[in-house]
Amino acid sequence: MSESPENKARYVLERCADCDECRTMMTDVCPFFQELYRLFDDMQETGRSPGSKDLRLMVDRCNFCALCPCPEIRNRILDAKSSFIERDKMSPALKIIQDVEKWAGKMTRVPSLANLLLQGRLASNLLKKSAGLHPDRDIPRIPEQDLDSWTRKKGIADTSCADTPGAALFAGCSARFFFPEAARAAVGILQRNNISVYYPEQNCCAMPVMLEGDRDLTLKMMQRNLESLTRTLDAGHDIVCSCPTCGYMFRELLREKAYYSREYQEAAGANDTYMLVPRDNRPPPMDQREHKRLLRMIYGSIFKDDGLFSVFPAMQRIRVAESVYDMGEYLLGLYKKGSLDTDMAAVNKRAAYFPPCHLRKQGIGSPYVQLLKLIPGLEVQEIKGSNLCCGMAGIMGFKQDFHQPSLEMGRPLMQKVQDMQPDILLCDCLSCRLQFSHNLSIPLAHPLEVLYEASRKR
């Protein structure tokens, strides 16, 4: 008999509380840890074990910002979420809104009508109520032309583009359906640097549905992306992500535990005594990479390829993960090789830049800060803080029961921005843009938009 979702959530509660490190580190900003320690303290005081409803609320409070130090706990939280959904089912409304690609894709076919419904007070309130969204949340406007339509018109989605190796753009749902100007800027910058651009077949990276615990849909979305991205690599393209959450999904979560697989261990030349794990986050080719040695007798029974995406071939996951670049990282690489066009017009503004959580977790620094400093007249100040998060978490911030925790999680960041008083706030996460626009009245942009405009006006 499989383990109950309550027991899976209870394991998380006991393991986290036993460590206790995050009580001082995360409880001020993280809704999950606030709930976890509330339950733990109640257990200590009353001796009562938390019930199913409390345990479900606890795991539902995790928005997978990945700022906490334990990947294993994050994975167990997702496993508990999925087990609750598999047993108790998902509400019809949530099943609709979690699939951003499906509902937003339909609305982009009739943008005028969609905006009339979404932006009008009466119709919008009725839709929010029926979908379980908070009434105070603004729904982003649907653009007149979505990104998929624009790429087809530009000819860069045509399969003939796959024959010319260059950069293949994975844009993410927010850019595809709400803020296509960010992805169009990515295309413009690449083309201005004489790089052939291909817009491959793609669907949602699966982060929103994974956060809601829909394991089956997560795997279906990932399978389609894996197949498309593998074909793209076979054609000789680099894969670049203008969305840091998509990049985090492909670069980190997709390959998680894959290096422990039998296939990789055989390819790396491991033996009965030692397992081999790459030292670098983006390792060189197999015959050139250095490995850490792990004693198999100790770690062999612990480190296994048994994560969410282990149903897919380990070497395929590793190949895709190691071949995906963040767009800022990719452009900075061109600059360091001396092949990036840096002839840009002046932008006389004071900009604050927030490096989003899922970018920070990729371990590539803040490439956009270095790129933005190439623009004459632009003063750039990075917003620093290891635990800062906007709190939006995609659709989670729209939900009735997560709206207030979302705002509380993002409050320290919003205060920092207000204290800086910039002319413009820059962030490469478009989910963060939704949260910033809800809380602040400062102009917002993706760094790529500013870089592209500066290059166009020179």
Side-chain angles (χ1 to χ4, degrees):
M1 185 175 179
S2 61
E3 189 178 1
S4 72
E6 286 83 4
N7 283 342
K8 291 179 178 182
R10 196 169 282 111
Y11 175 89
V12 171
L13 172 61
E14 292 170 355
R15 284 294 298 271
C16 278
D18 183 59
C19 168
D20 208 39
E21 180 178 345
C22 288
R23 183 185 284 269
T24 57
M25 185 172 68
M26 298 293 297
T27 49
D28 287 344
V29 294
C30 177
F32 164 78
F33 283 107
Q34 291 168 5
E35 190 63 23
L36 180 142
Y37 285 113
R38 183 188 71 80
L39 295 180
F40 177 73
D41 291 344
D42 184 68
M43 285 173 57
Q44 296 296 100
E45 292 174 10
T46 66
R48 294 193 302 263
S49 180
S52 178
K53 184 177 180 180
D54 285 330
L55 291 167
R56 174 74 183 270
L57 176 63
M58 180 189 74
V59 296
D60 280 348
R61 282 289 186 264
C62 174
N63 70 352
F64 218 85
C65 65
L67 296 182
C68 62
C70 300
E72 184 219 353
I73 291 298
R74 293 196 291 271
N75 290 333
R76 286 183 176 272
I77 291 170
L78 288 179
D79 186 35
K81 280 189 181 187
S82 298
S83 295
F84 275 117
I85 291 298
E86 288 166 3
R87 187 191 69 187
D88 302 336
K89 308 306 177 187
M90 183 179 289
S91 71
L94 181 55
K95 201 165 187 67
I96 292 171
I97 66 170
Q98 68 158 351
D99 193 346
V100 179
E101 181 176 42
K102 180 175 285 187
W103 66 262
K106 290 179 179 178
M107 289 192 171
T108 56
R109 299 172 191 168
V110 285
S112 298
L113 177 59
N115 285 322
L116 187 64
L117 293 173
L118 295 176
Q119 308 304 322
R121 176 172 294 183
L122 180 60
S124 177
N125 286 343
L126 288 173
L127 286 171
K128 289 176 184 177
K129 186 174 182 179
S130 62
L133 305 183
H134 197 278
D136 291 342
R137 277 290 179 187
D138 294 327
I139 307 295
R141 293 187 65 83
I142 303 297
E144 288 301 313
Q145 184 180 45
D146 68 352
L147 183 66
D148 291 6
S149 300
W150 182 82
T151 57
R152 288 194 294 269
K153 187 175 180 180
K154 290 277 289 185
I156 61 174
D158 193 285
T159 52
S160 63
C161 293
D163 298 332
T164 306
L169 177 64
F170 194 98
C173 293
S174 295
R176 291 173 64 196
F177 304 116
F178 305 119
F179 305 109
E181 60 271 20
R184 291 199 299 261
V187 173
I189 292 171
L190 290 168
Q191 291 180 334
R192 280 181 175 271
N193 283 275
N194 300 313
I195 296 172
S196 175
V197 181
Y198 174 46
Y199 184 73
E201 181 183 349
Q202 54 194 265
N203 55 228
C204 175
C205 73
M207 180 65 84
V209 296
M210 186 185 78
L211 283 178
E212 297 303 329
D214 194 334
R215 197 194 315 262
D216 290 343
L217 187 53
T218 299
L219 294 177
K220 286 178 183 177
M221 287 180 169
M222 183 56 77
Q223 182 173 12
R224 291 198 294 267
N225 281 326
L226 255 182
E227 291 170 354
S228 176
L229 295 179
T230 299
R231 292 193 299 269
T232 301
L233 289 176
D234 289 343
H237 297 279
D238 296 319
I239 300 169
V240 294
C241 289
S242 54
C243 170
T245 295
C246 299
Y248 176 68
M249 174 64 89
F250 294 133
R251 293 183 59 169
E252 304 296 330
L253 300 185
L254 176 61
R255 67 173 167 178
E256 199 165 58
K257 300 187 177 185
Y259 293 119
Y260 307 141
S261 67
R262 177 181 56 81
E263 295 85 353
Y264 183 82
Q265 291 300 306
E266 289 179 356
N271 55 37
D272 292 340
T273 304
Y274 290 106
M275 299 175 67
L276 298 177
V277 179
R279 289 187 179 276
D280 300 324
N281 191 44
R282 187 187 293 281
M286 187 68 78
D287 59 350
Q288 301 173 27
R289 66 181 58 178
E290 296 182 0
H291 288 92
K292 293 180 285 188
R293 298 195 303 173
L294 304 176
L295 195 60
R296 191 178 292 276
M297 182 176 66
I298 298 175
Y299 296 105
S301 61
I302 302 173
F303 292 160
K304 297 178 180 179
D305 185 20
D306 57 1
L308 173 62
F309 297 119
S310 61
V311 296
F312 303 120
M315 296 304 286
Q316 182 185 23
R317 289 153 52 208
I318 289 170
R319 183 191 178 200
V320 169
E322 291 182 355
S323 303
V324 169
Y325 293 85
D326 173 78
M327 182 68 182
E329 172 194 31
Y330 189 75
L331 295 177
L332 187 60
L334 295 178
Y335 172 70
K336 290 180 177 179
K337 291 187 293 187
S339 54
L340 182 71
D341 183 358
T342 59
D343 182 14
M344 290 182 278
V347 176
N348 296 310
K349 291 182 179 179
R350 292 174 56 255
Y353 167 73
F354 175 63
C357 306
H358 290 154
L359 177 76
R360 303 202 302 269
K361 293 304 291 185
Q362 293 178 52
I364 58 175
S366 301
Y368 282 118
V369 173
Q370 298 179 64
L371 292 167
L372 290 164
K373 288 182 177 179
L374 299 174
I375 301 176
L378 185 66
E379 180 185 333
V380 183
Q381 186 175 357
E382 182 177 359
I383 303 170
K384 296 185 178 181
S386 59
N387 291 333
L388 289 178
C389 175
C390 80
M392 187 66 189
I395 67 164
M396 288 185 70
F398 284 94
K399 292 160 64 176
Q400 177 79 36
D401 60 352
F402 194 79
H403 172 74
Q404 196 58 39
S406 166
L407 297 181
E408 291 172 2
M409 188 173 188
R411 188 165 288 117
L413 172 58
M414 302 304 153
Q415 187 60 55
K416 275 209 165 193
V417 176
Q418 289 176 328
D419 291 343
M420 294 169 70
Q421 296 184 326
D423 299 321
I424 187 169
L425 175 58
L426 306 177
C427 183
D428 32 322
C429 177
L430 298 176
S431 178
C432 291
R433 182 186 289 198
L434 293 170
Q435 185 81 311
F436 285 133
S437 65
H438 182 86
N439 287 275
L440 305 170
S441 57
I442 299 170
L444 303 165
H446 194 296
L448 291 170
E449 295 175 73
V450 178
L451 288 164
Y452 183 49
E453 281 304 308
S455 68
R456 288 176 64 192
K457 292 177 179 178
R458 69 183 190 273

